[in-house]
Amino acid sequence: MTTIKLKNYYPHLTECVTLEVSEEIAVTLSIGGRMCDSYKRRKRDHDECSLDGTPGFEADVTRPPLTPEEIMEQTEERDNLYTALDQLPPVQARRVYAHYILGKSKSDIARAENVSENAVRDSISRGMEMMKNILKKFR
């Protein structure tokens, strides 16, 4: 039997607990620890990072969190956008939504609606012009 310290394998433990385990388990834990260390070293050497790795690490590599004012502004802008979209004729609204919100190509929309691509292109263009005029009223 071998005595191991659980804190070496479970760093989140707050107290140091020693435990007697069989040689087989001790060897398995040792191999697992070495593999983990090797993996961390390989990631570090190749400048790899995981956003799940270290708590708080995300803040260093992603953009800073939005302020409450920015969140309110985005919410208002989104509400204005959908209000303007609701004021378009149904066909234009559907096509503008499919193209700009859902990211569908104009040719895919034309195929799905069984119309020419020029009709879709013109409809989206007119819809965007109408939305621009509607959104000017909100500002």
Side-chain angles (χ1 to χ4, degrees), residues 80-86 88 92-93 96-97 100 125-138:
N80 292 344
L81 175 70
Y82 280 105
T83 300
L85 193 59
D86 287 340
L88 295 179
Q92 282 181 350
V96 168
Y97 183 83
Y100 288 104
S125 178
R126 285 191 310 273
M128 291 302 292
E129 194 63 37
M130 286 180 67
M131 283 185 68
K132 190 187 307 181
N133 293 333
I134 293 167
L135 288 171
K136 281 181 185 178
K137 296 176 187 175
F138 289 117

Side-chain angles (χ1 to χ4, degrees), residues 2-125:
T2 304
T3 304
I4 62 169
K5 293 181 182 178
L6 288 182
K7 190 152 179 72
N8 293 343
Y9 302 100
Y10 302 102
H12 63 278
L13 291 177
T14 55
E15 55 188 61
C16 187
V17 177
T18 56
L19 189 65
E20 284 193 25
V21 295
S22 67
E23 290 293 325
E24 183 180 347
I25 292 174
V27 168
T28 303
L29 285 172
S30 177
I31 290 170
R34 285 195 306 269
M35 288 175 67
C36 184
D37 291 342
S38 174
Y39 174 72
K40 288 178 183 176
R41 188 172 36 258
R42 196 169 51 249
K43 280 178 53 172
R44 185 180 59 242
D45 291 346
H46 295 291
D47 294 327
E48 295 176 21
C49 64
S50 168
L51 296 180
D52 297 329
T54 305
F57 179 71
E58 298 88 353
D60 295 337
V61 294
T62 59
R63 52 182 182 247
L66 297 174
T67 64
E69 293 83 17
E70 291 171 331
I71 293 171
M72 288 300 295
E73 285 176 9
Q74 283 187 355
T75 303
E76 287 177 13
E77 288 175 1
R78 188 174 32 255
D79 290 345
N80 292 344
L81 175 70
Y82 280 105
T83 300
L85 193 59
D86 287 340
Q87 294 179 21
L88 295 179
V91 173
Q92 282 181 350
R94 182 179 64 238
R95 291 174 180 172
V96 168
Y97 183 83
H99 183 63
Y100 288 104
I101 306 295
L102 300 179
K104 292 186 178 182
S105 70
K106 294 173 184 172
S107 59
D108 288 343
I109 296 168
R111 246 188 324 251
E113 295 183 2
N114 201 20
V115 296
S116 71
E117 190 174 336
N118 284 337
V120 171
R121 187 176 286 112
D122 292 342
S123 178
I124 290 174
S125 178

